[in-house]
Amino acid sequence: MVLDKLRAKFHIRKDLGRAFLAEFTGTFLLCLIGLSVVAQKVLPRPEVNEFIGVNVGFGIAIVFGVAVSAKLSGGHINPAVSLAFLSVGQITIVQFLAYFVAQFFGAFFGAAVVYAVYNDAINAFDGGVRTVGGLKDTAGIFASYPAPHLGLLNGFVDQFVATAVFVFLIAHIVDKRNSYPTWLQPILVGTGFVAIGAAFGYNCGYPVNPARDFAPRLFTAIFYGGAVFTKWFWVPIVGPFVGAVVGIWFYYFLIGFHTPQDAEEKYVVLTGNQELKPLTAKEVEEAN
């Protein structure tokens, strides 16, 4: 397997070296997410505070989206995540293509049901005139649109970084060497997404999912017209794809390749009485 071969090549055997990388990475994440949250409080855009409910709600949606699909597919529910796992050899190209199509149609029909449920409320708000942008905008319910201050390059950086961090966290959570119980993983992924929203919601609402953004945008084109395809629309598609691949490889090179297996997970069979005895931490490290 690709990751096993790379781990054997890049694994740092010195405890201090591994500890240095871990402390660097942990402190980097602390400041990246924490200071981004502070930036959203300080910068003058009061409505960002309304994202608290959105962050929690979307986080819970991810918890259950991952939970209900994890046993059958791994619970990617995001083509950028699927591409990341394809890049490290954990799914095949055929699986990626199947997941991508399923994710796209899932997002499309999810948006369609939301439109049906909230149709009267949307009509009451915009008077039946569907507009993109402005005081009566409702297109933003379904897809991301950048804040007035945001340029395309900065928008790409925003989506690249947010998705890279999110996939970094996912890679950590699902890495078997970290021994998170399977029932806990969807909760941790959802919690990670709440952190992403709290840190990166300011610029464009942190879509970080090409299917979640493009499929609903395509659906809204039926009612809102071609105006939904602004010059922005490619950013939340390309940015997350690139960021996801970079994020998962950053995880493995900074942390994953250097994480020792738990001593309790490896056993040796003693000759004679066939008694199982846990390896010591030192023996596990030598085996790795």
Side-chain angles (χ1 to χ4, degrees):
M1 187 177 177
V2 173
L3 290 179
D4 292 334
K5 293 179 180 177
L6 289 173
R7 176 182 170 81
K9 183 176 182 180
F10 291 102
H11 176 69
I12 297 175
R13 298 190 178 278
K14 296 292 186 180
D15 288 344
L16 184 60
R18 292 199 302 263
F20 179 90
L21 271 182
E23 286 299 306
F24 166 82
T25 306
T27 312
F28 172 79
L29 287 172
L30 167 68
C31 289
L32 175 61
I33 295 175
L35 296 180
S36 293
V37 174
V38 174
Q40 294 189 144
K41 177 182 180 298
V42 173
L43 294 171
R45 197 178 169 202
E47 69 272 19
V48 170
N49 292 331
E50 299 172 6
F51 271 128
I52 295 174
V54 174
N55 291 348
V56 174
F58 240 110
I60 293 172
I62 287 181
V63 168
F64 285 102
V66 171
V68 300
S69 57
K71 284 284 186 179
L72 300 179
S73 68
H76 296 184
I77 63 173
N78 182 336
V81 173
S82 297
L83 182 64
F85 283 108
L86 172 65
S87 75
V88 297
Q90 294 192 9
I91 64 171
T92 66
I93 293 178
V94 172
Q95 285 177 304
F96 169 75
L97 293 175
Y99 286 17
F100 179 86
V101 172
Q103 291 154 355
F104 176 86
F105 280 105
F108 185 92
F109 285 107
V113 173
V114 169
Y115 188 83
V117 169
Y118 285 95
N119 185 59
D120 286 352
I122 293 173
N123 285 334
F125 180 77
D126 66 10
V129 180
R130 301 292 185 258
T131 58
V132 179
L135 295 177
K136 295 295 184 179
D137 167 58
T138 52
I141 295 172
F142 302 93
S144 69
Y145 295 87
H149 67 266
L150 189 66
L152 291 181
L153 178 58
N154 198 171
F156 177 86
V157 172
D158 175 279
Q159 286 299 286
F160 171 87
V161 172
T163 311
V165 174
F166 185 43
V167 173
F168 184 103
L169 298 178
I170 292 173
H172 164 74
I173 292 166
V174 303
D175 188 344
K176 293 181 179 179
R177 291 178 179 271
N178 295 318
S179 303
Y180 287 111
T182 54
W183 64 266
L184 182 61
Q185 292 177 10
I187 298 173
L188 293 176
V189 172
T191 303
F193 195 74
V194 172
I196 297 303
F200 301 108
Y202 186 86
N203 284 324
C204 60
Y206 67 104
V208 300
N209 183 333
R212 169 261 175 276
D213 194 83
F214 181 70
R217 189 185 304 274
L218 188 62
F219 170 79
T220 56
I222 300 172
F223 303 98
Y224 292 77
V228 300
F229 293 106
T230 64
K231 60 182 181 180
W232 160 262
F233 89 93
W234 64 270
V235 175
I237 299 174
V238 179
F241 274 131
V242 179
V245 173
V246 171
I248 199 168
W249 282 105
F250 260 63
Y251 167 74
Y252 282 109
F253 276 104
L254 290 175
I255 300 293
F257 289 152
H258 319 297
T259 305
Q261 189 89 355
D262 286 346
E264 292 75 16
E265 292 182 9
K266 286 193 174 183
Y267 297 86
V268 292
V269 179
L270 300 181
T271 58
N273 59 9
Q274 298 295 304
E275 178 186 356
L276 293 179
K277 177 186 175 183
L279 289 176
T280 65
K282 183 178 181 180
E283 289 171 330
V284 170
E285 183 57 31
E286 290 174 350
N288 288 333

